[in-house]
Amino acid sequence: MSIAATFEELFGRAPEGVWAAPGRVNLIGEHTDYNDGFVMPFALPHTTVAAVARREDGVLRLHSADVEGGPVELRVADLAPGGPGVWTDYVGGVVWALREAGHAVGGADVHFESTVPTGAGLSSSAALEVVTALAFNDLHELGLERSRLARLCQRAENVYVGAPTGIMDQTASACCTEGHALFLDTRDLSQRQIPFDLAAEGMQLLVVDTRVKHAHSDGEYGKRRAGCEAGAAALGVSALRDVAYEELDAALARLDDEEVRRLVKHIVTENHRVEHVVALLEQGGTRAIGPVLTEGHASLRDDFRISCPELDLVVDTANASGALGARMTGGGFGGSAIVLVDTADADTVTKAVAEAFAAAGFKTPRVFAAVPSPGARRLA
């Protein structure tokens, strides 16, 4: 049954439109976004799709094919931060953020269907936020640019949901283009679309979902962010973006707190890695980004300390089995890793990782090829 037909069955009328917003993989640039740094995500073919029709009574009726039970009802006038901590917070948060920004949006019936894996570090929450924002933007003819929608979605997640995430996930979902990675400067929000057509060069980027769930709002993410802010304050800069890579050793020597030193080291070196990958891709050196990905994983594991045994096993096994490079991606403490391989080696590496997980007694990982795909869009 089509999503429009399901909507009609649920709500007794046809939707006014259907929209989609993708999850994302971050190629390089982890935890740099809330430090005013550089990131490089691309959109996945996996999307959250929403069928939507406006209501005149100020009621939001929300239904997801992925959550048991009937539609959940919320009153638009009652939306406020500090919700119950359920999936509808992400939707209600976007409507709240739009209204807080002065946009007179009202109630709606909404049915969601998603193929973005949840808890896998692939931004399922951002896809849910962005598809909601784009639908309301179109239906209410708000005329907001994609980058503005992304900022409102980030505000919904930061303030309404209470997760201290940066701007990358929402911008990737809203602004990525097919066949490209998005080089985003999170300070001034300038964007460059960098060609990233792996298939044409005989390569694939595999996503390995470890099926270890993580949650941004569980406190560890917030601790890392607070530590980065403490490091910036101690160094007298507004954000760690302002610490030059060439001056890193001198900066670290000024910090007494060992944990803060490690966090600062990761952010500064990670920004450098993003710029390095951009340069390699623009010069046609796609294969050479592999070792940079692996360096990024070592930094996330040893300095930022957000990896886990399953993620480390993916990276170590893949690299030992012929991969060009690998690293964890996303917020950490679980989720997914990415593995750059020659297409001819994809099956060998996938098999080796599955066997290593079985030998370790871990859950069977989910592996798929990540193809740079379009950002959010209206489907009907």
Side-chain angles (χ1 to χ4, degrees), residues 261-324:
R261 289 178 84 248
R262 289 197 312 269
L263 298 178
V264 170
K265 181 183 175 186
H266 167 71
I267 297 301
V268 176
T269 58
E270 187 79 345
N271 277 324
H272 182 68
R273 281 186 286 273
V274 177
E275 293 183 297
H276 189 192
V277 167
V278 170
L280 288 170
L281 291 177
E282 290 187 328
Q283 295 161 12
T286 306
R287 292 178 64 86
I289 74 172
V292 187
L293 302 183
T294 302
E295 288 173 15
H297 182 77
S299 181
L300 289 161
R301 180 192 65 212
D302 300 336
D303 291 329
F304 227 66
R305 299 192 179 186
I306 58 171
S307 189
C308 67
E310 291 86 351
L311 289 168
D312 293 341
L313 186 60
V314 174
V315 173
D316 293 344
T317 303
N319 284 332
S321 304
L324 301 170

Side-chain angles (χ1 to χ4, degrees), residues 121-182:
L122 303 176
S123 297
S124 58
S125 59
L128 183 59
E129 293 158 358
V130 171
V131 76
T132 301
L134 184 60
F136 273 72
N137 184 56
D138 287 355
L139 288 174
H140 292 277
E141 299 181 343
L142 302 180
L144 298 174
E145 294 183 354
R146 295 301 182 90
S147 57
R148 176 59 179 157
L149 291 178
R151 288 198 295 274
L152 288 169
C153 289
Q154 182 200 15
R155 176 167 168 76
E157 188 148 350
N158 288 171
V159 180
Y160 197 96
V161 179
T165 55
I167 190 63
M168 174 181 68
D169 296 351
Q170 293 84 2
T171 302
S173 186
C175 301
C176 279
T177 61
E178 187 173 7
H180 294 78
L182 176 68

Side-chain angles (χ1 to χ4, degrees), residues 5-266:
T6 303
F7 179 98
E8 191 159 357
E9 188 175 89
L10 282 165
F11 299 116
R13 58 181 178 141
E16 293 182 75
V18 177
W19 291 261
R24 66 95 188 97
V25 159
N26 191 24
L27 182 62
I28 192 77
E30 219 64 79
H31 288 266
T32 47
D33 59 346
Y34 54 81
N35 288 285
D36 281 4
F38 305 122
V39 295
M40 201 172 183
F42 65 86
L44 289 168
H46 305 73
T47 59
T48 295
V49 181
V52 188
R54 289 168 290 181
R55 295 176 63 92
E56 302 298 326
D57 59 359
V59 172
L60 280 174
R61 289 198 297 178
L62 310 176
H63 183 267
S64 170
D66 306 298
V67 180
E68 289 187 11
V72 176
E73 289 198 8
L74 306 173
R75 292 202 62 81
V76 170
D78 296 337
L79 295 174
V86 295
W87 72 272
T88 55
D89 289 350
Y90 295 97
V91 183
V94 169
V95 177
W96 169 84
L98 285 167
R99 289 169 62 86
E100 284 282 296
H103 304 292
V105 298
D109 290 335
V110 192
H111 170 63
F112 297 98
E113 296 179 5
S114 182
T115 57
V116 184
T118 58
L122 303 176
S123 297
S124 58
S125 59
L128 183 59
E129 293 158 358
V130 171
V131 76
T132 301
L134 184 60
F136 273 72
N137 184 56
D138 287 355
L139 288 174
H140 292 277
E141 299 181 343
L142 302 180
L144 298 174
E145 294 183 354
R146 295 301 182 90
S147 57
R148 176 59 179 157
L149 291 178
R151 288 198 295 274
L152 288 169
C153 289
Q154 182 200 15
R155 176 167 168 76
E157 188 148 350
N158 288 171
V159 180
Y160 197 96
V161 179
T165 55
I167 190 63
M168 174 181 68
D169 296 351
Q170 293 84 2
T171 302
S173 186
C175 301
C176 279
T177 61
E178 187 173 7
H180 294 78
L182 176 68
F183 177 39
L184 173 67
D185 181 333
T186 66
R187 170 164 283 172
D188 63 14
L189 300 183
S190 61
Q191 304 176 15
R192 278 166 55 198
Q193 301 287 348
I194 308 297
F196 191 54
D197 186 356
L198 291 173
E201 300 190 61
M203 286 176 277
Q204 290 184 12
L205 191 76
L206 304 177
V207 175
V208 182
D209 177 5
T210 65
R211 298 172 64 199
V212 176
K213 300 296 184 182
H214 75 139
H216 280 162
S217 54
D218 66 359
E220 290 298 325
Y221 188 105
K223 289 178 186 176
R224 300 306 187 280
R225 183 165 186 163
C228 289
E229 291 169 352
L235 293 170
V237 294
S238 63
L240 293 181
R241 151 73 172 276
D242 298 312
V243 181
Y245 178 74
E246 295 75 18
E247 299 169 4
L248 177 59
D249 288 344
L252 295 179
R254 293 168 54 196
L255 298 171
D256 297 324
D257 188 308
E258 178 59 29
E259 184 174 350
V260 171
R261 289 178 84 248
R262 289 197 312 269
L263 298 178
V264 170
K265 181 183 175 186
H266 167 71

